[in-house]
Structures are given as C-alpha cells and as structure tokens.
Amino acid sequence: MANLLWLQGGACSGNTMSFLNAEEPSACDLVTDFGINVLWHPSLGLELGDNVKTLLQDCVSGKIPLDIFVFEGTVVNAPNGSGNWNRFCGRPMKDWVKELSDAAQFVVAIGDCATWGGIPAMAPNPSESVGLQFLKRDAGGSLGTGFKSKAGLPVINIPGCPAHPDWVTQILVAAASGRGGGHRFHQSVSRVAGRGLAFRDPARCGSGWWCGSVYGCRQGRSSQPGQAPGQRLR
Ligand code: SF4
C-alpha cells in the first residue's frame, strides 16, 4: 500500500480532469489493482476543514507515512513572497508544499504549472508563481536546485497542459510499486509508459536512454522519429 496525497496550488484543475480520464491504467485501477491509497485530493477527498489540516500535519510529522506527494499548479508566492494569496488550512500553501515535500518518498509535479510555472508564471507574473523545482528554464523553483525527496530523487516532473492522463497514472504506479530509484526508475517508466518523463536532472538523465518527452532530458538527446523506448541514441 502506498499513501498518496494530492494538493493544488495556482491551478485550473485541468490535470485532475486529465488524471480522471486515464485508461491504462485508470484512476480506479490505481486503488483497486496497484495498492495506492489516496489520503486526500481536492476533488475526491472526504475530509473537510480541520480534519484535512490534521491529516496534513500527520503527514508532515511522519505519523502517516507519505509515499507520494503530488502537486498540481504553481506555488504562489504573492504578495511580496508571503504566499498569502494562496492559503490552505490556515497557512500559505507554499509552506505546506515545503514540509510535505520533505516528508515524502516521492514528489511528483503534474502539469506545466507545477513543473515550471506555466501560464500563471507568464510576465508580469502577478501571483509570483513558480514551479516546484523550475521557473521556466531556470532550475530552482520553490524547492531549490538541491532538493531531493526521501527516495533520493529530485521532483519527478510530468509536464503538459494538462499532462497526458496515462503518463500520470503510469508514473504513479511506477513509484508506488517500488520501481523508484534514479536511472532504474527512468528506464522502468520509459518502458512502462512508452513516453517521457522529465526529471530535469542531467546527472541522472544523462545516460543516453531514449526519452520521448518534449520536455525530457536536457542532455541534447531528444527523441527521434522511429526510435523505440530504451533504444540508445549513440
Ligand atoms: S498545467 Fe495547464 S491544465 Fe494544468 S493547472 Fe496549469 S493551466 Fe491548468
């Protein structure tokens, strides 16, 4: 059983809608066949008010093991870096994001907004939005360049506006089924999804393995027509 928590920041819920349209596997399959326990989701969670806050606090403290923390939308820092334009459960969402990311085995950014800022981060960016570990092409984002989750990985980015439904569910299955762990995770997800994921970490993604993502590995090894997943470029 893998505990999954999903929160939204500066988001339109498009990635949630995409997730609910997944087919291989479906969102229901994650629960019934792949042992994912959805602790809470803004559209699916049963808890309200203080009960959500208690759940989040228990995840931060470790009372509830947090295996996968999913974030959709930007991290909002306005006004003036305070994050008060996006408060949740009594405090700025950006503070929950930091603490929950530190507590999680895997952190997954879903959609362009969460990965690099997306539409909300366009100039003049009044919400002071950033992605979890990127702002546009610049590394850093909300969590910083050096961030690693407990499993030793940077944020797992699934870009797209919204992200493809099956990229989301297949990558969540890979994480929940224990196939996490650097390059091995990259290979397993490429094989399972047949599509790319973007770690945006050259040290881990510079292996030369095929990655079909538009926003994939930054090592100059973009996908080429006719190449199969797992095929080396050179
Ligand atoms: S990435 Fe696109 S679909 Fe997802 S929250 Fe942002 S604007 Fe909406």
Side-chain angles (χ1 to χ4, degrees), residues 10-15 72-74 110-114 118-120 160-163:
C12 71
S13 298
N15 289 284
E72 172 182 7
T74 60
I110 294 191
D112 284 357
C113 292
I119 294 170
C161 186

Side-chain angles (χ1 to χ4, degrees), residues 139-151:
S142 183
L143 297 175
T145 54
F147 172 80
K148 295 277 197 307
S149 65
K150 281 190 169 173

Side-chain angles (χ1 to χ4, degrees), residues 152-178:
L153 293 178
V155 172
I156 299 169
N157 287 320
I158 312 177
C161 186
H164 188 288
D166 293 346
W167 298 357
V168 176
T169 53
Q170 290 172 8
I171 289 169
L172 293 179
V173 166
S177 59

Side-chain angles (χ1 to χ4, degrees), residues 84-123:
N84 281 323
W85 280 10
N86 180 200
R87 292 180 65 83
F88 186 69
C89 286
R91 64 199 294 232
M93 176 63 90
K94 71 183 185 75
D95 295 343
W96 285 118
V97 168
K98 174 72 174 72
E99 293 181 5
L100 290 165
S101 296
D102 287 340
Q105 292 293 328
F106 297 100
V107 178
V108 180
I110 294 191
D112 284 357
C113 292
T115 56
W116 57 269
I119 294 170
M122 293 299 101

Side-chain angles (χ1 to χ4, degrees), residues 1-232:
M1 182 72 76
N3 288 332
L4 181 149
L5 174 69
W6 184 312
L7 295 183
Q8 291 176 340
C12 71
S13 298
N15 289 284
T16 285
M17 299 308 295
S18 181
F19 169 68
L20 294 175
N21 278 298
E23 294 183 345
E24 296 179 9
S26 72
C28 291
D29 291 339
L30 297 191
V31 175
T32 58
D33 296 352
F34 294 101
I36 291 182
N37 175 39
V38 181
L39 293 171
W40 198 79
H41 178 288
S43 301
L44 307 173
L46 297 177
E47 292 80 4
L48 296 170
D50 285 346
N51 289 339
V52 181
K53 185 175 183 179
T54 299
L55 189 152
L56 299 187
Q57 289 170 333
D58 287 348
C59 288
V60 169
S61 71
K63 183 177 178 183
I64 298 176
L66 180 57
D67 298 296
I68 305 171
F69 173 47
V70 177
F71 196 68
E72 172 182 7
T74 60
V75 179
V76 172
N77 290 296
N80 303 316
S82 67
N84 281 323
W85 280 10
N86 180 200
R87 292 180 65 83
F88 186 69
C89 286
R91 64 199 294 232
M93 176 63 90
K94 71 183 185 75
D95 295 343
W96 285 118
V97 168
K98 174 72 174 72
E99 293 181 5
L100 290 165
S101 296
D102 287 340
Q105 292 293 328
F106 297 100
V107 178
V108 180
I110 294 191
D112 284 357
C113 292
T115 56
W116 57 269
I119 294 170
M122 293 299 101
N125 194 358
S127 59
E128 301 172 29
S129 281
V130 298
L132 283 186
Q133 218 168 3
F134 273 83
L135 174 57
K136 301 179 184 173
R137 292 179 181 273
D138 298 328
S142 183
L143 297 175
T145 54
F147 172 80
K148 295 277 197 307
S149 65
K150 281 190 169 173
L153 293 178
V155 172
I156 299 169
N157 287 320
I158 312 177
C161 186
H164 188 288
D166 293 346
W167 298 357
V168 176
T169 53
Q170 290 172 8
I171 289 169
L172 293 179
V173 166
S177 59
R179 280 174 289 174
H183 178 56
R184 189 163 149 258
F185 184 49
H186 186 173
Q187 287 178 268
S188 70
V189 172
S190 291
R191 187 169 58 247
V192 169
R195 297 292 184 112
L197 78 166
F199 284 99
R200 292 185 186 273
D201 183 343
R204 290 187 183 276
C205 282
S207 59
W209 289 91
W210 182 88
C211 178
S213 171
V214 172
Y215 297 96
C217 179
R218 293 282 185 183
Q219 292 297 294
R221 298 179 173 91
S222 58
S223 58
Q224 295 175 7
Q227 267 179 323
Q231 180 181 347
R232 279 190 181 278

